[in-house]
Amino acid sequence: MSGLQCLASENIWFDKHSYDEAEKCFYEGANGPSTQAKMALQQPKGRQQRPRNRNSSSHGGGDQELVSRMKSMEVENHTLHKVVAEMRAALQKLELRVATLEKSPAGVPSPKAVPVNAAPVKQVQNGGDEDFDDDDDMDLFGSDEDDEEAERLKQERLDAYAAKKSKKPALIAKSSLLLDVKPWDDETDMAKLEECVRSVQMDGLLWGASKLVPVGYGIKKLQITCVVEDDKVGTDILEEELTKFEDFIQSVDVAAFNKI
């Protein structure tokens, strides 16, 4: 029991990690750090080097941009110096010219005036009996003859314009019609019906092309075009003349109406 009590009073096994750490430090001091410790120390260095490389690349791009900007500024500065030099030269020339003008005598000597020989004036001797009145020769308001001449020319021009206008042919208003002529049934002779339609003749009426258009149940209607003068032929009169052929024509309708 005494041996167990002695072991119980010793705490060396409970502080084993402290002794192990002390032993590890001893050997590291004697032989240098272990490989694992070296790797642990090297890893942060590698991690630190990567950002440095990135920073170096970013710094390199920034340096190139800065160099290009500096070059462009140098070129621009050189151009500005050249412009300033040209302006200074022009200003010096202008100052020299002004100074020369100031030193010269006032005004440029004008060319010598050429004497002009005046034409001799004839002297008119007025006799005692001949008295001329200048007021009688001056007509301030014009004469009546000028007014009559102007009025005559105006009237001649108006007459000529009226005669020219009367010679122009008057525009005749015309219209183009498309008529639908319907028969009574399918037994109606359409050739005879068209002949009846074209037999209607009036002053100002001109018949055109025609065709047969099916309506249904074997019935066909006649579509025919015509040109009429509006002042001479009306649609009502034309329909009335066509519907007189009661044996062939049932009705007449205006399908289209266009002004020409």
Side-chain angles (χ1 to χ4, degrees), residues 2-61:
S2 63
L4 293 174
Q5 291 177 356
C6 290
L7 290 173
S9 61
E10 293 291 337
N11 55 0
I12 185 172
W13 300 106
F14 298 102
D15 296 336
K16 186 176 182 301
H17 63 282
S18 301
Y19 294 103
D20 291 340
E21 186 70 23
E23 185 180 2
K24 180 179 178 181
C25 291
F26 173 75
Y27 285 114
E28 286 180 355
N31 300 327
S34 62
T35 57
Q36 294 180 356
K38 288 180 180 180
M39 291 176 64
L41 291 173
Q42 289 176 358
Q43 286 179 356
K45 291 181 180 180
R47 292 177 181 175
Q48 291 177 0
Q49 289 176 358
R50 290 178 183 175
R52 288 179 182 176
N53 293 332
R54 293 177 183 176
N55 293 331
S56 63
S57 62
S58 62
H59 284 301

Side-chain angles (χ1 to χ4, degrees), residues 73-188:
M73 290 179 67
E74 288 178 357
V75 172
E76 185 177 358
N77 191 13
H78 180 69
T79 305
L80 290 174
H81 279 297
K82 188 176 179 180
V83 172
V84 171
E86 292 177 356
M87 292 179 67
R88 285 179 179 175
L91 184 60
Q92 289 178 359
K93 290 180 180 179
L94 184 61
E95 289 178 352
L96 289 174
R97 186 174 180 182
V98 171
T100 304
L101 291 174
E102 289 178 353
K103 290 179 182 179
S104 62
V108 179
S110 60
K112 295 181 179 179
V114 179
V116 179
N117 295 325
V121 180
K122 294 182 179 180
Q123 295 181 357
V124 179
Q125 295 180 357
N126 296 330
D129 298 336
E130 297 178 356
D131 188 7
F132 296 95
D133 191 0
D134 295 336
D135 295 337
D136 296 340
D137 297 337
M138 187 178 297
D139 188 4
L140 298 177
F141 301 100
S143 61
D144 296 336
E145 295 179 358
D146 295 339
D147 295 339
E148 292 177 358
E149 184 68 18
E151 188 68 24
R152 185 180 63 80
L153 290 174
K154 182 178 178 182
Q155 187 64 33
E156 288 180 357
R157 291 175 182 175
L158 290 174
D159 295 340
Y161 176 75
K164 185 178 180 181
K165 190 175 180 181
S166 62
K167 291 180 181 179
K168 290 184 178 180
L171 295 176
I172 301 173
K174 295 183 180 181
S175 301
S176 176
L177 303 178
L178 178 63
L179 302 178
D180 285 345
V181 184
K182 298 177 182 177
W184 288 101
D185 51 22
D186 57 344
E187 296 180 356
T188 304

